[in-house]
Amino acid sequence: MRDKLQLWDHLAMSQLVVSCGAASLYASSHLAITGTIDLRIATAVAAATWIMYAAHRWIGLRLHPDLREVPRFKYVASRPVLFLSGALICGLYLLITTPYMIRSLGWTYLLGPAIISSLYSLPIIGPKRLRDLPYIKIFVLAATWSWITVLWALPEQGILHSWSLAGACFLFIIAITIPFDIRDQQTDHESQLATLVTLLGADKAKRLSGGLLLIAGALIIFAYTRDVISMAYLLALIITYLMSWRLIQGADASRPESYYSGFIDGVMIMPLILLALLSQILPA
């Protein structure tokens, strides 16, 4: 059991889980609407996610050296070759796939999340990043993730057709990001970063997450009634939201990093798995 836990910690803190989660959310949206998965774009989503999180942690260490004592930052600091190699590989893959993504998605769909992600991770304007501004981080993340995982998956349908799915994803990402702010209460307090958790407290923030998941559920039910999604995808998302709610309730500062970067990030993989399984059981 000890070896398994160590392996899970490694997968979580190396950002593989969150990268696979992003790719899976994109793939589940694409599969639910078109019946296929664009593996090149799904892999590019994973690569871009890995680079964004690696940049955030690496630059965070440079701006705040005291973060070296935080497990996920300590993991990055102790493995510079691994992260530099990963960034090089992911960067090269994105460079190779960019022409295909431009043809498939167009510049409009690509530039928006690319600019927002850069501003989120990099101190382009002064010493602060978007994530360092009060209350901003969680909404920037949710907007970027819903853009990449829903709107990239449905470029032909456009926002008028997919607004309910994009809105549900936006609320879902906010809901599962709140536990990370519960985890980070101490470091956010020390750095004087205001978040929804510091404003509301952990218990009220958890209730807010539950309310957001309820609204997200209402949006996907609306999408189902308009024949935008199938019963299989509706159930896949509802089960995912219920699993997320259970994990959110268990969040507190004493939990290990693998609870957040492993299990909570890992819940984003569930829609794809559940959709694949339920599609074999339920009618289209």
Side-chain angles (χ1 to χ4, degrees), residues 20-62:
C20 289
S24 296
L25 280 182
Y26 163 83
S28 66
S29 298
H30 202 275
L31 179 62
I33 302 301
T34 69
T36 63
I37 296 175
D38 191 320
L39 289 177
R40 278 183 285 185
I41 295 183
T43 311
V45 168
T49 302
W50 198 94
I51 287 178
M52 185 182 79
Y53 277 80
H56 150 56
R57 292 182 182 177
W58 198 260
I59 292 169
L61 280 169
R62 296 295 179 269

Side-chain angles (χ1 to χ4, degrees), residues 150-151 154 158-169 219 222 228:
V150 176
L151 298 184
L154 313 172
I159 187 65
L160 293 177
H161 182 79
S162 56
W163 69 268
S164 55
L165 294 181
C169 183
L219 287 173
F222 173 82
V228 175

Side-chain angles (χ1 to χ4, degrees), residues 67-103:
L67 289 175
R68 285 178 177 272
E69 300 307 313
V70 178
R72 61 190 179 280
F73 287 94
K74 186 176 182 179
Y75 186 91
V76 174
S78 63
R79 294 166 174 83
V81 175
L82 171 66
F83 278 84
L84 290 174
S85 299
L88 178 61
I89 293 170
C90 290
L92 286 173
Y93 183 79
L94 288 174
L95 185 63
I96 293 170
T97 56
T98 293
Y100 172 76
M101 294 174 70
I102 293 172
R103 291 195 303 272

